[in-house]
Amino acid sequence: QKEVEQDPGPLSVPEGAIVSLNCTYSNSAFQYFMWYRQYSRKGPELLMYTYSSGNKEDGRFTAQVDKSSKYISLFIRDSQPSDSATYLCAMSRTGANNLFFGTGTRLTVIP
Amino acid sequence: EAQVTQNPRYLITVTGKKLTVTCSQNMNHEYMSWYRQDPGLGLRQIYYSMNVEVTDKGDVPEGYKVSRKEKRNFPLILESPSPNQTSLYFCASSLRAGEETQYFGPGTRLLVL
């Protein structure tokens, strides 16, 4: 069983839709949860960071962590064509080092 | 501009021919690491370095070497590349280990024939 599971998609939505991206994990020791965005032919860039359980909001993006269910989510409101990218979840016991990544979900927002 | 750079960006080589992928950061970061990205497997850590002269294995270190002689540089060495090392490689850095933000380089696409 992989440490982190993520539906690879692809996911296509119309502009303005609410997007929900999800990951599940098996290691209860994970404390740090991140979402990265990766545009085609680019390196990943950190989008959201959450420590332990709870919600975090940043503009149109909301990250949720449910440690009891070992489940994390990223919501994108009012999605834009510029949001078209691959979204990677990542988690760790000890912070930004020794990250375990999901395989990524490819999202396309159609104008 | 604060950035992580990698060279080369694209490389085609043959089995057994030693190669080095360079990584450099201009942010005075202590922590640097190498990942490989493969379809269906995601990003996996190869090696990391907490500071100059301090390196350690990640999840998939077999067939790779690294060195950290200077703070800004962290080259990845493939002494005898094999086709299963065909992959997309990313270097990343952060201010310190445990820092929430890792900055990734643009990637090096390697094909080993």
Side-chain angles (χ1 to χ4, degrees):
Chain A
Q1 183 187 8
K2 286 184 186 176
E3 299 258 19
V4 181
E5 300 277 358
Q6 183 175 9
D7 187 338
L11 183 62
S12 291
V13 301
E15 183 175 354
I18 296 174
V19 176
S20 172
L21 304 167
N22 310 293
C23 288
T24 59
Y25 63 95
S26 57
N27 190 340
S28 58
F30 287 145
Q31 296 273 24
Y32 299 84
F33 304 91
M34 297 149 218
W35 286 94
Y36 283 82
R37 179 175 60 196
Q38 185 176 18
Y39 290 115
S40 181
R41 301 185 186 281
K42 300 283 188 183
E45 56 178 336
L46 184 66
L47 195 60
M48 297 287 284
Y49 170 90
T50 310
Y51 172 71
S52 195
S53 282
N55 294 358
K56 186 173 185 178
E57 190 173 318
D58 184 2
R60 296 183 296 109
F61 299 89
T62 299
Q64 287 185 352
V65 175
D66 182 348
K67 290 189 71 179
S68 63
S69 302
K70 298 192 183 69
Y71 188 88
I72 70 170
S73 301
L74 177 71
F75 297 96
I76 307 173
R77 290 183 299 281
D78 187 26
S79 55
Q80 302 294 308
S82 58
D83 295 328
S84 298
T86 296
Y87 290 80
L88 305 160
C89 63
M91 44 201 80
S92 167
R93 297 184 301 274
T94 56
N97 51 296
N98 200 26
L99 290 174
F100 290 85
F101 282 85
T103 52
T105 300
R106 180 177 290 182
L107 170 68
T108 301
V109 181
I110 303 165
Chain B
E1 181 190 353
Q3 60 183 348
V4 178
T5 57
Q6 296 178 228
N7 282 292
R9 295 289 313 278
Y10 302 92
L11 180 60
I12 301 174
T13 190
V14 295
T15 298
K17 186 176 182 182
K18 181 179 178 179
L19 66 91
T20 299
V21 184
T22 64
C23 172
S24 182
Q25 49 88 9
N26 62 359
M27 297 170 278
N28 201 36
H29 284 173
E30 290 182 356
Y31 181 84
M32 298 183 74
S33 63
W34 277 102
Y35 294 86
R36 60 179 288 174
Q37 187 174 34
D38 302 289
L41 296 175
L43 278 155
R44 294 176 293 168
Q45 192 177 51
I46 303 170
Y47 267 95
Y48 63 93
S49 170
M50 305 279 267
N51 213 326
V52 176
E53 301 290 3
V54 181
T55 64
D56 208 346
K57 297 176 181 178
D59 299 313
V60 287
E62 295 78 20
Y64 304 95
K65 283 177 58 177
V66 293
S67 68
R68 188 92 181 273
K69 293 184 172 57
E70 305 167 280
K71 198 171 189 179
R72 63 184 295 130
N73 296 323
F74 190 44
L76 180 69
I77 302 156
L78 283 71
E79 294 267 0
S80 182
S82 62
N84 65 12
Q85 293 178 298
T86 293
S87 187
L88 179 58
Y89 291 87
F90 288 101
C91 180
S93 73
S94 60
L95 188 59
R96 279 175 292 276
E99 193 76 16
E100 65 187 58
T101 304
Q102 264 192 90
Y103 296 87
F104 282 79
T108 295
R109 190 168 291 278
L110 171 65
L111 173 61
V112 183
L113 300 173

